[in-house]
Amino acid sequence: MAKNKVEETVDKAYKTAQLTKNEIIFLLSEKISNLEYLIKKADEKRQEIFGRKVHLRAIIEFSSCCRQNCYYCGLRKDNRSLERYRLTGDEIINTALKAADLGYRTVVLQSGEDNYPAEDLADIIEEIKNRADIAVTLSVGERSFADYLLWEKVGADRYLLKHETADRTLYKKYHPGMNFENRINCLRYLKKIGYQIGSGVIVDLPGQTAETLADDLFLCQDLDLDMMGSGPFIPHRNTPLKDKKTGSVEMTLKVTALSRLLMPKVHIPATTALGTIDPEGRKKALKAGANVIMPNVTDSIYRKKYQIYPNKTSINTDEEYYHSSIAVEINSLGRTIASNKGHSLKIE
Ligand code: SAH
Ligand code: SF4
């Protein structure tokens, strides 16, 4: 039987890791019920590259202080109703060591765009690297190149900085006082000096179109990412986007599957945001090309204060329980937790 257009386009992506803008827009505009083949081939590609292993990255949300005002985010500076916190160096180090004891091989130190002193963070990274055999990922926003260099010198392995949207007009509208080019320059610099870099998008950000998402995918290809994440937009009541519609699971899965086909070797997380809007969301993403889960290991007293978007806290309250429940989730898909650090395949 002749192949239909979806199959033809997906096969091209599977074989060449390239699609035209119109082809991407075509797939993103199809109903998910017509895209079983896309999801299936993305899953096959994930299996071919990573096998059954799922990498876990433990997130430590070490500060909710932020100097930025991103329109979608609950940590934005103008959200005065949020009680802010900042962990001490010892608290961060102890949380990281506890994560290592639980079996995690990567910790992600994430915060709002806090002015956390660069030297203090360098000491923390150094201490973690000395005391545990784990990879350290940073996700602390835009900082000076000197800070990035300092942290790399003391052993930071990876950096996560989502570009959020490649649509310059939307970027400007939703990031007052910020500059798209600067964000991209940060990513390119981080890559150049030896970090493995992760970026990604917010899916269904109000005003975003399939065309924008195609540009997002091209930008991610161009940045030569090591990791690419897509999470749905979730409105937060104390932000200017409070009345906008929650992003869709379907669109997030389409972007996840296309990311796998267009960037076969990248690590792709089944995002917490997707798990927040759909209890089966993470499983669905793991079956659509994703190979990473990022459990939260922040102490529960702080976790509820790190309200990037609502209901994020309901996911778990106890680290050990969570760790085992994630194993159950992963095993139920016939997959297992990887025991190595899960560095980028591009550097191995
Ligand atoms: N301050 C750092 C890291 C913390 S924010 C930074 O901005 O890079 C981490 C991510 O949360 C952001 O990159 C953004 O993609 C996501 N995020 C924030 N608010 C969100 C929302 N309302 N819905 C979905 N994702 C959101
Ligand atoms: Fe701050 Fe990051 Fe939220 Fe923007 S997305 S307000 S930089 S925490």
Side-chain angles (χ1 to χ4, degrees):
M1 206 173 75
K3 277 196 222 168
N4 66 29
K5 193 173 168 198
V6 168
E7 287 170 354
E8 256 172 38
T9 315
V10 169
D11 281 343
K12 178 183 168 193
Y14 187 88
K15 284 194 196 111
T16 65
Q18 295 296 336
L19 287 179
T20 65
K21 192 163 180 172
N22 282 340
E23 287 165 339
I24 296 175
I25 293 171
F26 161 68
L27 289 176
L28 290 175
S29 309
E30 274 294 314
K31 281 207 270 292
I32 195 87
S33 52
N34 292 338
L35 293 174
E36 270 172 34
Y37 192 67
L38 168 69
I39 304 293
K40 179 172 151 252
K41 294 306 269 187
D43 194 44
E44 255 177 65
K45 186 60 87 181
R46 185 270 315 151
Q47 177 69 26
E48 207 177 292
I49 307 277
F50 292 97
R52 297 183 324 122
K53 298 289 180 200
V54 175
H55 293 284
L56 300 185
R57 327 281 205 204
I59 299 210
I60 303 172
E61 297 161 338
F62 70 91
S63 165
S64 65
C65 303
C66 189
R67 61 186 170 193
Q68 301 295 4
N69 246 329
C70 307
Y71 265 40
Y72 41 79
C73 179
L75 301 193
R76 67 198 307 271
K77 180 175 66 180
D78 287 355
N79 179 10
R80 312 268 177 228
S81 56
L82 185 71
E83 199 190 319
R84 310 280 169 165
Y85 70 89
R86 191 192 239 187
L87 266 60
T88 65
D90 282 344
E91 284 175 313
I92 300 172
I93 293 162
N94 289 335
T95 312
L97 296 178
K98 194 169 142 199
D101 281 347
L102 284 168
Y104 290 102
R105 303 300 315 279
T106 295
V107 288
V108 182
L109 306 185
Q110 193 183 74
S111 70
E113 220 170 279
D114 191 358
N115 295 313
Y116 210 93
E119 290 73 21
D120 292 358
L121 194 50
D123 290 344
I124 292 163
I125 297 162
E126 207 167 8
E127 185 81 5
I128 295 172
K129 295 294 289 188
N130 284 338
R131 292 175 61 185
D133 183 24
I134 54 176
V136 171
T137 302
L138 301 176
S139 177
V140 304
E142 293 173 35
R143 298 281 298 231
S144 73
F145 285 6
D147 291 354
Y148 289 156
L149 200 55
L150 170 69
W151 299 330
E152 201 275 331
K153 291 269 174 287
V154 295
D157 301 274
R158 311 185 189 129
Y159 206 99
L160 292 185
L161 186 70
K162 289 197 189 179
H163 71 270
E164 320 291 5
T165 176
D167 178 329
R168 312 292 199 273
T169 314
L170 270 194
Y171 191 90
K172 207 169 166 162
K173 182 165 156 195
Y174 292 149
H175 302 93
M178 293 172 82
N179 177 310
F180 180 78
E181 305 305 329
N182 189 54
R183 204 158 182 90
I184 300 304
N185 285 343
C186 285
L187 280 162
R188 293 199 196 282
Y189 180 77
L190 288 159
K191 179 101 191 168
K192 193 172 104 190
I193 63 173
Y195 284 91
Q196 298 163 49
I197 56 165
S199 189
V201 293
I202 302 183
V203 174
D204 286 331
L205 202 54
Q208 184 185 63
T209 60
E211 190 180 351
T212 315
L213 283 168
D215 287 338
D216 282 310
L217 287 163
F218 289 142
L219 176 62
C220 289
Q221 282 183 316
D222 183 57
L223 287 167
D224 192 17
L225 299 181
D226 301 288
M227 176 154 165
M228 153 76 181
S230 332
F233 163 68
I234 305 178
H236 185 292
R237 69 181 181 288
N238 297 323
T239 68
L241 299 183
K242 61 177 186 293
D243 297 324
K244 302 293 182 189
K245 212 166 131 233
T246 301
S248 80
V249 175
E250 292 74 22
M251 188 57 99
T252 310
L253 292 175
K254 290 181 211 175
V255 176
T256 302
L258 276 168
S259 307
R260 172 56 66 219
L261 293 180
L262 297 177
M263 292 165 275
K265 285 186 169 176
V266 297
H267 287 293
I268 299 180
T271 54
T272 310
L274 187 59
T276 301
I277 62 165
D278 178 351
E280 294 290 305
R282 277 202 320 231
K283 268 196 196 177
K284 290 178 184 168
L286 286 175
K287 290 198 278 186
N291 70 312
V292 171
I293 292 189
M294 302 175 72
N296 191 340
V297 297
T298 316
D299 196 298
S300 51
I301 57 162
Y302 297 118
R303 205 176 294 177
K304 50 183 164 302
K305 296 182 188 162
Y306 197 82
Q307 283 270 354
I308 287 180
Y309 44 77
N311 298 328
K312 195 167 155 286
T313 54
S314 64
I315 299 169
N316 70 322
T317 46
D318 177 82
E319 295 83 6
E320 286 182 56
Y321 165 74
Y322 192 47
H323 194 46
S324 67
S325 73
I326 280 187
V328 170
E329 185 174 328
I330 290 171
N331 295 338
S332 76
L333 298 172
R335 317 258 284 268
T336 53
I337 296 176
S339 55
N340 63 17
K341 289 182 195 143
H343 281 313
S344 174
L345 292 187
K346 297 183 180 181
I347 63 160
E348 277 171 350

